[in-house]
Amino acid sequence: QVQLVESGGGLVQPGGSLRLSCAASGRVSSIYQMDWYRQAPGKQREFVARIRSGGSTSYADSVKGRFTISRDNAKNRCDLQMNSLKPEDTAVYYCTAEDKSLLRISSWGQGTQVTVSS
């Protein structure tokens, strides 16, 4: 029902910054909240950040103070500003969308690769 495309990943040095973007298409009016997840090599996918329709946010403890999630008023884009990046942030980052009932209305896409290395 909703298609999401992640972009903005790349290779950065420790301490550097990246800004990831998630563009939504389809029935974007159904989106209530959007999230970022990540999956590192050999590890399970984990929650990173979430932003709700009213603007409230949630973050994983591992990224608090370093990452900031935002969205535009039309709910068709969600960005993740990542600062003070660490090697342990290396992962494929995915975005998701949920409706008012908190049901996921997007499927897992290809994600965008973030590599933090010197």
Side-chain angles (χ1 to χ4, degrees):
Q1 192 174 25
V2 172
Q3 294 78 48
L4 302 175
V5 178
E6 302 94 340
S7 63
L11 173 64
V12 296
Q13 294 184 334
S17 299
L18 279 176
R19 188 176 185 90
L20 307 183
S21 293
C22 176
S25 61
R27 298 189 180 277
V28 296
S29 61
S30 298
I31 299 175
Y32 171 73
Q33 67 180 25
M34 300 185 74
D35 321 88
W36 284 95
Y37 289 79
R38 68 186 182 187
Q39 186 167 27
K43 301 181 68 176
Q44 292 186 335
R45 188 158 46 216
E46 65 176 350
F47 169 80
V48 175
R50 171 174 295 142
I51 186 165
R52 305 172 186 86
S53 181
S56 63
T57 58
S58 300
Y59 297 93
D61 288 341
S62 59
V63 306
K64 286 181 179 177
R66 300 189 297 118
F67 291 10
T68 303
I69 188 171
S70 62
R71 66 189 297 187
D72 67 0
N73 196 44
K75 302 179 182 179
N76 63 345
R77 177 176 162 179
C78 179
D79 290 354
L80 184 69
Q81 177 66 46
M82 306 185 296
N83 299 326
S84 302
L85 284 163
K86 305 174 181 179
E88 50 262 46
D89 295 319
T90 296
V92 177
Y93 284 70
Y94 304 89
C95 60
T96 65
E98 293 77 39
D99 65 11
K100 188 178 179 180
S101 299
L102 304 184
L103 297 176
R104 185 155 293 150
I105 55 176
S106 66
S107 59
W108 296 105
Q110 295 298 308
T112 185
Q113 176 71 50
V114 172
T115 303
V116 184
S117 176
S118 59

